[in-house]
Amino acid sequence: MQAVPIGVIGNLYIGGAGLARGYHQRPDLTEERFINHPLEGRLYFTGDVARLLGDGRIEFLGRSDNQIKLRGFRIELGEIEQCLEQVPDVKQAVVVPVEGRSGDISLVAHVIPEQENASTEMDFSLFYFSAGIETSAKESYQLYLESAKRADVMGFKAIWTPERHFHPVGGQFPNPSVLGAAIAMITNRIQIRAGSVVLPLHNPIRVVEEWSVVDNLSNGRVGLAFASGWNPKDFVFAPDNFENRREVMAKSLKSVKALWRGESIDVEDGVGSKGAVSVYPRPQQDELETWFTAAGDPSTFVEAGKTGSNLLTHLLGQSVEMLQEKIALYRQTLREYGHDPAKKSITLMLHAFVWKDESEAVEICRKPFSDYLRAHLSLEKMAKSFGKEDMFDTENEAESLIELAFERYSKTSSLIGSVDSCMDMIHRLKDIGVNEIACLVDFWHTITTGIGRT
């Protein structure tokens, strides 16, 4: 704001009758750039750095800000950088003009990604389901325990045990806390997780008490995923909760977290009296690490973000690209509700069978994986996803649809193949923010009788 002598570098201001009134609908920028000088009147700060020459000409020397003039337009590089930094996966952006071989100027953005997954490695866990088991229950539980011991020695991150009832998918696991207690006694390092507790079926007090025991037995290795439930038959334990299961889950999840921290909640007893109740024993961990199970519905990813929980999801019925969009939605919701996405883990359930030869791996898994699809997914949903709604009128057409689903899912939604063929999928999943792959184990009979000792 002080005049400089001829030849001295300074900031260029302009004024006069042709001066604009301000920026359209940008009062903040108008106040910043348009000033009232006590002697010269209203001036505009151009942002140009210049000097006045002896012959009256003005020599332009550059800018004091990031604005450039490109193809006749004044462009604020900072505004472009600000827009880029609003993208969930971008931490910082710098935009610069770059001259190409033809002499044309282009704008090039350099970005630093969010370090929400700073680890250079992918964690791997085991996730048990047991669809299509042809062995006895005793044999399947023995295999479950033996594989858990081996996973503990091999450095797997966690053992996930689901909770399902009255359905071939996961029917072996009515109460994951019981098996979690068994794993706690035979392992030393591996984390013990429920994937997932169907919370609307349970009293939160009972959930915390049971898993607090497991947390003490394991010396603080418990983590819990929660789900609202999907199978109406499961709700024989709490039929009134099925219709509003999501609301019930949200309320119960708050109670579980509070009880785990040692707080009390108000409950009603058998004679209608209300009082505060806390749980015993106290768990080893002060805070319970939680996951929210999200399926194909984007709203479940929003709910996961609202609760501030980690995310547990899958690829059945959705592509990697679709999952990427939902993960971005989850992260955005985390930020909106005051949670740090960098501190949250994203676990993906994925069928995994890595073998020495890709084609052999596919053939080994063909029948059991097809049986899984047949039990887990409806023909109508599969046909609709493939655009073949009329493909299951006969038994042969239905089997053709299952075969088509196997070919699609085994190539795009699983880790079935050789080490080399599976690495591409692992890199893709790492790029979209997946921290951990929970390898689905649910067709044991074929694997154990054919190659289990190899």
Side-chain angles (χ1 to χ4, degrees), residues 120 329 342 369 453:
T120 58
L329 183 61
F369 195 7
R453 298 294 181 184

Side-chain angles (χ1 to χ4, degrees), residues 209-274:
E209 284 183 337
E210 289 183 355
W211 282 102
S212 179
V213 171
V214 181
D215 201 49
N216 278 279
L217 291 173
S218 65
N219 195 28
R221 290 186 278 140
V222 160
L224 303 182
F226 295 98
S228 58
W230 59 279
N231 182 17
K233 291 185 173 60
D234 292 351
F235 281 77
V236 295
F237 299 107
D240 294 339
N241 287 346
F242 182 72
E243 184 175 356
N244 300 316
R245 56 193 181 279
R246 287 190 179 182
E247 292 81 359
V248 173
M249 176 180 164
K251 181 179 179 180
S252 296
L253 183 55
K254 292 180 181 179
S255 297
V256 167
K257 290 182 176 181
L259 289 166
W260 192 278
R261 289 192 297 264
E263 301 172 11
S264 59
I265 62 172
D266 292 329
V267 295
E268 185 176 313
D269 64 18
V271 294
S273 299
K274 292 185 178 180

Side-chain angles (χ1 to χ4, degrees), residues 311 313 327 330-331 344-348 432-436:
L311 181 69
T313 186
I327 288 176
Y330 161 69
R331 288 176 173 163
K344 303 304 174 183
S345 177
I346 299 174
T347 300
L348 178 67
I432 69 170
V434 174
N435 307 87
E436 175 185 341

Side-chain angles (χ1 to χ4, degrees), residues 75-370:
I75 298 173
E76 292 285 354
L77 299 182
E79 292 185 357
I80 301 175
E81 293 166 354
Q82 185 180 22
C83 289
L84 287 171
E85 289 170 0
Q86 291 175 0
V87 176
D89 293 331
V90 176
K91 180 179 182 180
Q92 187 176 356
V94 175
V95 178
V96 295
V98 175
E99 183 176 350
R101 292 181 179 179
S102 63
D104 290 339
I105 302 295
S106 299
L107 298 183
V108 176
H110 302 265
V111 300
I112 298 175
E114 280 282 7
Q115 298 300 310
E116 295 179 352
N117 303 284
S119 172
T120 58
E121 298 181 354
M122 178 78 77
D123 288 324
F124 289 87
S125 302
L126 295 184
F127 197 115
Y128 293 86
F129 254 121
S130 77
I133 282 185
E134 299 173 20
T135 57
S136 67
K138 180 179 179 180
E139 289 174 320
S140 66
Y141 292 138
Q142 288 177 338
L143 180 60
Y144 170 86
L145 296 175
E146 288 299 318
S147 59
K149 287 193 292 186
R150 184 159 179 78
D152 186 46
V153 173
M154 293 178 66
F156 278 72
K157 183 74 172 181
I159 293 289
W160 295 84
T161 308
E163 174 191 314
R164 289 291 184 268
H165 304 278
F166 313 128
H167 193 278
V169 178
Q172 297 276 347
F173 308 112
N175 190 335
S177 66
V178 174
L179 288 168
I183 291 177
M185 303 308 295
I186 60 173
T187 59
N188 298 305
R189 184 205 59 80
I190 200 163
Q191 295 182 23
I192 303 168
R193 299 178 184 163
S196 306
V197 174
V198 184
L199 202 47
L201 301 182
H202 303 284
N203 187 306
I205 299 172
R206 173 62 70 187
V207 173
V208 175
E209 284 183 337
E210 289 183 355
W211 282 102
S212 179
V213 171
V214 181
D215 201 49
N216 278 279
L217 291 173
S218 65
N219 195 28
R221 290 186 278 140
V222 160
L224 303 182
F226 295 98
S228 58
W230 59 279
N231 182 17
K233 291 185 173 60
D234 292 351
F235 281 77
V236 295
F237 299 107
D240 294 339
N241 287 346
F242 182 72
E243 184 175 356
N244 300 316
R245 56 193 181 279
R246 287 190 179 182
E247 292 81 359
V248 173
M249 176 180 164
K251 181 179 179 180
S252 296
L253 183 55
K254 292 180 181 179
S255 297
V256 167
K257 290 182 176 181
L259 289 166
W260 192 278
R261 289 192 297 264
E263 301 172 11
S264 59
I265 62 172
D266 292 329
V267 295
E268 185 176 313
D269 64 18
V271 294
S273 299
K274 292 185 178 180
V277 172
S278 56
V279 298
Y280 187 84
R282 291 286 303 119
Q284 288 288 307
Q285 301 178 88
D286 294 331
E287 289 284 343
L288 174 64
E289 191 170 14
T290 63
W291 279 256
F292 193 106
T293 304
D297 186 350
S299 66
T300 58
F301 289 79
V302 173
E303 289 301 317
K306 289 180 180 179
T307 65
S309 300
N310 301 308
L311 181 69
L312 176 65
T313 186
H314 58 74
L315 269 183
L316 287 177
Q318 58 184 342
S319 65
V320 174
E321 291 73 22
M322 294 167 63
L323 179 60
Q324 183 177 13
E325 294 177 359
K326 294 168 186 175
I327 288 176
L329 183 61
Y330 161 69
R331 288 176 173 163
Q332 177 184 338
T333 308
L334 283 172
R335 292 187 185 92
E336 291 175 354
Y337 282 79
H339 308 293
D340 185 359
K343 297 180 179 179
K344 303 304 174 183
S345 177
I346 299 174
T347 300
L348 178 67
M349 295 177 278
L350 206 62
H351 285 91
F353 183 73
V354 184
W355 190 234
K356 59 186 178 181
D357 180 81
E358 180 180 1
S359 59
E360 286 184 21
V362 171
E363 290 310 311
I364 289 172
C365 295
R366 183 176 298 277
K367 182 183 183 303
F369 195 7
S370 297

